[in-house]
């Protein structure tokens, strides 16, 4: 709040968000930090708003990727809802990240436009552009990163009147934006309850995750295996997710699932998507022990990702941290799925289903059974397919989105005061602290910026996430080059 330079104030807020998310502090929002940016909002003038166009929605993203479930949800939302015109603005797209072609095509097919800002642009300029661009839409929906305060400054003024919704794709995490969100679209009932208990807000609508509205055009199992170079007769167990979902915790390690499966038969392959052996050197050691039957294929475009899922016999959830979209995509590929609950909860359609295992040992046992018995795989699919369709079919999702928009329209836009209930950290917070260890690169980034000014912190942060041991060398290199 005391910092005079806006760009440094934003950077401090990002460091704070990283700490709150990764330390298990028990903090899921910050009235103090949001109030500081609300004061900034009044200082940033914007052009006079244009005429509001009925039936239009602006999706606001921090960044768009060709990998992962975050961007896929925005693409599918736009493709599913044919009754509205969707446009998109990205507030800090990295130059080195390819813009997803399917997202661009979805926006254009809807009759909207794509506006891209770069993280090298001045913060105040981006805020003014975002506020002016947003004011002519009937609704604004935020799909921003947890550490992005730009929407608070863009929409936290009395002269911005359009209803603002926030899609809570990180319901278990700290994030900014409670003060400007007139409605929160939750992925599951679990997230809605957490918003009341930990963020002090009660404007949630459970939207879920939209399914794919396009007909699946996937290779068959044999073709997918040939493309990936896998033996046609192998028994393939696949798992996919972000790196942090596989970081070992005390007593919880994905290798405790993978190794017993590899030991069960020389025909079993365990394939990880989203990570590499550089992320988990112990996986490389295990792979060498089992003759290369444990594989880590890294990130990949969504179309290739779906081909990989088509090659699997069984898809198991990320662990120790469960995922949101991978298992749904696997079911869409007609692949049986299994998951093991943790303190981070499950999607609504998974709870009580044939996919849910009580313990890791049960997950290993049932995976072995499914690899050996086609009937067991078909029985699992017969239970989970109708649950998933009821949860995320395009028509069902659009119906929930209509409720979401209706509630925001009735309430209108306002700047909201919020006060999360005071409570000490508990077992859930301890789980989160073990899930995402604090990234000291965030502090190194802030220190270098303080000394040398702006630089491409996101690029270096990405490299350090993939190769943490390189962090000191990268910091030293950027100091020598003046962080430019």
């Amino acid at each position: 709040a005391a910092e005079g330079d806006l760009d440094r104030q934003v950077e401090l807020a990002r460091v704070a968000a990283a700490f709150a998310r990764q330390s298990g502090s028990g903090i899921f929002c910050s009235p103090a930090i949001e109030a500081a940016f609300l004061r900034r909002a009044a200082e940033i003038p914007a052009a006079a708003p244009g005429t509001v166009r009925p039936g239009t929605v602006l999706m606001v993203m921090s960044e768009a990727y060709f990998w992962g479930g975050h961007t896929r949800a925005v693409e599918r939302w736009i493709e599913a809802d044919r009754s509205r015109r969707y446009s998109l603005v990205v507030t800090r797209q990295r130059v080195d990240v390819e813009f997803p072609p399917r997202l661009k095509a979805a926006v254009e097919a809807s009759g909207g436009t794509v506006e891209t800002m770069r993280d090298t642009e001045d913060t105040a300029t981006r805020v003014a552009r975002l506020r002016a661009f947003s004011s002519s839409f009937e609704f604004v929906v935020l799909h921003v990163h947890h550490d992005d305060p730009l929407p608070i400054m863009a929409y936290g003024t009395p002269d911005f009147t359009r209803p603002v919704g926030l899609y809570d794709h990180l319901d278990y995490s700290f994030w900014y934006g409670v003060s400007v969100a007139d409605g929160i679209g939750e992925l599951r009932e679990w997230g809605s309850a957490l918003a009341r208990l930990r963020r002090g807000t009660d404007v949630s609508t459970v939207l879920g995750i939209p399914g794919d509205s396009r007909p699946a055009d996937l290779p068959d199992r044999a073709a997918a295996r040939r493309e990936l170079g896998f033996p046609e007769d192998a028994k393939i167990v696949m798992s996919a997710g972000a790196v942090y979902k596989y970081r070992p915790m005390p007593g919880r390690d994905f290798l405790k699932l993978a190794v017993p499966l590899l030991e069960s038969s020389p025909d079993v392959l365990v394939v990880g998507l989203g990570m590499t052996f550089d992320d988990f050197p112990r996986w490389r050691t295990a792979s060498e022990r089992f003759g290369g039957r444990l594989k880590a294929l890294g990130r990949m475009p969504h179309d290739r990702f779906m081909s990989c899922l088509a090659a699997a016999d069984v898809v198991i959830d990320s662990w120790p941290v469960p995922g949101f979209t991978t298992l749904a995509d696997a079911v869409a590929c007609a692949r049986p799925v299994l998951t093991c609950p943790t303190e981070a909860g499950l999607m609504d359609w998974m709870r009580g289903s044939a996919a849910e295992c009580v313990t890791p040992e049960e997950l290993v046992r049932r995976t072995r059974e499914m690899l050996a018995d086609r009937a067991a795989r078909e029985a699992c699919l017969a239970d989970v397919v109708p649950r998933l369709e009821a949860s995320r079919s395009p028509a069902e999702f659009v119906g929930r989105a209509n409720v979401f928009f209706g509630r925001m329209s009735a309430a209108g836009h306002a700047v909201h005061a919020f006060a999360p209930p005071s409570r000490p950290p508990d077992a859930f917070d301890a789980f989160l602290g073990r899930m995402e260890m604090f990234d000291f690169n965030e502090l190194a980034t802030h220190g270098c910026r303080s000394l040398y000014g702006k630089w491409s912190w996101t690029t270096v942060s990405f490299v350090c996430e993939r190769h943490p041991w390189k962090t000191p060398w990268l910091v030293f290199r950027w100091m020598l080059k003046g962080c430019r």
Side-chain angles (χ1 to χ4, degrees), residues 30 50 111 188 213 239 254 258 261 271 275 279 287 303 314 350 359 372 386 401 468 476:
S30 175
R188 49 189 176 157
S213 59
S239 185
F254 186 78
L261 293 172
V271 181
M275 75 297 292
D279 297 312
S287 181
D303 291 344
V314 181
M350 297 181 197
T359 64
F476 181 64

Side-chain angles (χ1 to χ4, degrees), residues 171-226:
D171 58 7
Y172 56 81
S173 172
F174 175 98
W175 46 256
Y176 295 124
V178 181
S179 59
V180 296
D182 305 303
I184 300 175
E186 298 289 359
L187 304 183
R188 49 189 176 157
E189 291 288 351
W190 186 95
S192 183
L194 187 136
R196 292 191 298 271
L197 291 174
R198 300 299 189 97
R199 305 188 215 277
T201 180
D202 192 13
V203 292
S204 296
T205 301
V206 176
L207 292 178
I209 300 174
D212 208 327
S213 59
R214 303 191 308 173
D217 184 19
L218 299 171
D220 61 25
R221 178 175 175 272
R225 291 185 174 207
R226 285 194 300 271

Side-chain angles (χ1 to χ4, degrees), residues 433-449:
R434 292 190 297 267
M435 180 177 82
E436 297 191 270
M437 294 179 293
F438 182 60
D439 183 1
F440 284 94
N441 181 56
E442 298 281 354
L443 290 179
T445 294
H446 172 62
C448 284
R449 272 199 165 185

Side-chain angles (χ1 to χ4, degrees), residues 76-91:
R76 293 170 177 177
W77 182 330
I78 296 171
E79 290 172 349
D81 189 358
R82 301 298 185 186
S83 65
R84 298 179 178 89
R85 287 174 292 157
Y86 285 86
S87 291
L88 173 71
V89 60
V90 187
T91 64

Side-chain angles (χ1 to χ4, degrees), residues 163-453:
V164 177
L166 184 147
Y167 188 63
D168 189 7
H169 66 280
L170 279 176
D171 58 7
Y172 56 81
S173 172
F174 175 98
W175 46 256
Y176 295 124
V178 181
S179 59
V180 296
D182 305 303
I184 300 175
E186 298 289 359
L187 304 183
R188 49 189 176 157
E189 291 288 351
W190 186 95
S192 183
L194 187 136
R196 292 191 298 271
L197 291 174
R198 300 299 189 97
R199 305 188 215 277
T201 180
D202 192 13
V203 292
S204 296
T205 301
V206 176
L207 292 178
I209 300 174
D212 208 327
S213 59
R214 303 191 308 173
D217 184 19
L218 299 171
D220 61 25
R221 178 175 175 272
R225 291 185 174 207
R226 285 194 300 271
E227 179 185 344
L228 294 166
F230 295 160
E232 190 167 336
D233 58 349
K235 298 175 180 178
I236 298 178
V237 179
M238 201 163 287
S239 185
V243 170
Y244 74 87
K245 295 182 179 180
Y246 294 87
R247 286 177 184 150
M249 300 180 184
R252 305 181 189 189
D253 188 338
F254 186 78
L255 286 180
K256 291 189 176 182
L257 307 180
V259 169
L261 293 172
L262 293 167
E263 290 175 338
S264 66
S265 169
D267 297 328
V268 172
L269 272 67
V270 177
V271 181
L273 308 177
M275 75 297 292
T276 68
F277 288 146
D278 287 335
D279 297 312
F280 301 108
R282 290 175 58 239
W283 288 30
R284 178 184 285 109
T285 303
S287 181
E288 293 170 352
R289 173 186 167 192
F290 290 100
R293 291 190 289 120
L294 174 61
K295 302 180 183 296
L297 303 186
R299 290 169 168 168
M300 57 188 62
H302 188 63
D303 291 344
R304 182 167 169 77
F305 170 74
M306 296 294 278
S307 295
C308 288
L309 293 180
D313 291 298
V314 181
V315 177
I316 62 176
D317 208 351
S318 51
W319 198 69
V321 181
F324 290 153
T325 58
T326 297
L327 295 194
D329 285 340
V331 173
C333 293
R335 297 297 177 262
V337 297
L338 292 172
T339 186
C340 187
T342 66
E343 290 86 342
L346 294 175
M347 294 297 291
D348 293 343
W349 68 272
M350 297 181 197
R351 290 184 296 155
S353 74
E356 185 177 358
C357 301
V358 177
T359 64
E361 292 76 17
E362 181 187 351
L363 187 146
V364 171
R365 175 181 60 79
R366 291 188 58 201
T367 303
R368 288 173 172 171
E369 291 173 355
M370 287 187 180
L371 291 175
D373 185 1
R374 180 176 179 178
R377 299 196 295 269
E378 292 176 347
C380 178
L381 276 173
D383 179 71
V384 299
V385 166
R387 292 172 179 266
L388 177 62
E389 287 302 310
S391 169
R392 72 166 206 162
S393 71
E396 178 68 22
F397 181 83
V398 170
R400 292 194 292 266
N402 289 337
V403 173
F404 179 60
F405 287 126
R407 290 175 176 173
M408 287 196 297
S409 180
H413 181 58
V415 176
H416 305 275
F418 61 101
S422 176
R423 53 185 297 166
D426 57 19
F428 168 60
D429 302 301
F431 172 81
L432 293 181
R434 292 190 297 267
M435 180 177 82
E436 297 191 270
M437 294 179 293
F438 182 60
D439 183 1
F440 284 94
N441 181 56
E442 298 281 354
L443 290 179
T445 294
H446 172 62
C448 284
R449 272 199 165 185
S450 299
L451 291 171
Y452 295 107

Side-chain angles (χ1 to χ4, degrees), residues 108-178:
E108 291 174 348
S110 174
T113 60
V114 175
E115 180 87 1
T116 303
M117 306 179 196
R118 300 293 182 185
D119 62 354
T120 53
E121 294 182 58
D122 174 73
T123 299
T125 301
R126 283 186 290 152
V127 169
R129 285 177 60 192
L130 181 60
R131 187 187 300 168
F133 188 66
S134 304
S135 61
S136 61
F137 291 85
E138 186 176 8
F139 298 102
V140 175
V141 180
L142 307 179
H143 299 265
V144 294
H145 290 346
H146 73 289
D147 61 353
D148 190 348
L150 260 68
I152 300 173
M153 293 181 279
Y155 309 130
T157 63
D159 46 330
F160 187 85
T161 60
R162 308 317 309 149
V164 177
L166 184 147
Y167 188 63
D168 189 7
H169 66 280
L170 279 176
D171 58 7
Y172 56 81
S173 172
F174 175 98
W175 46 256
Y176 295 124
V178 181

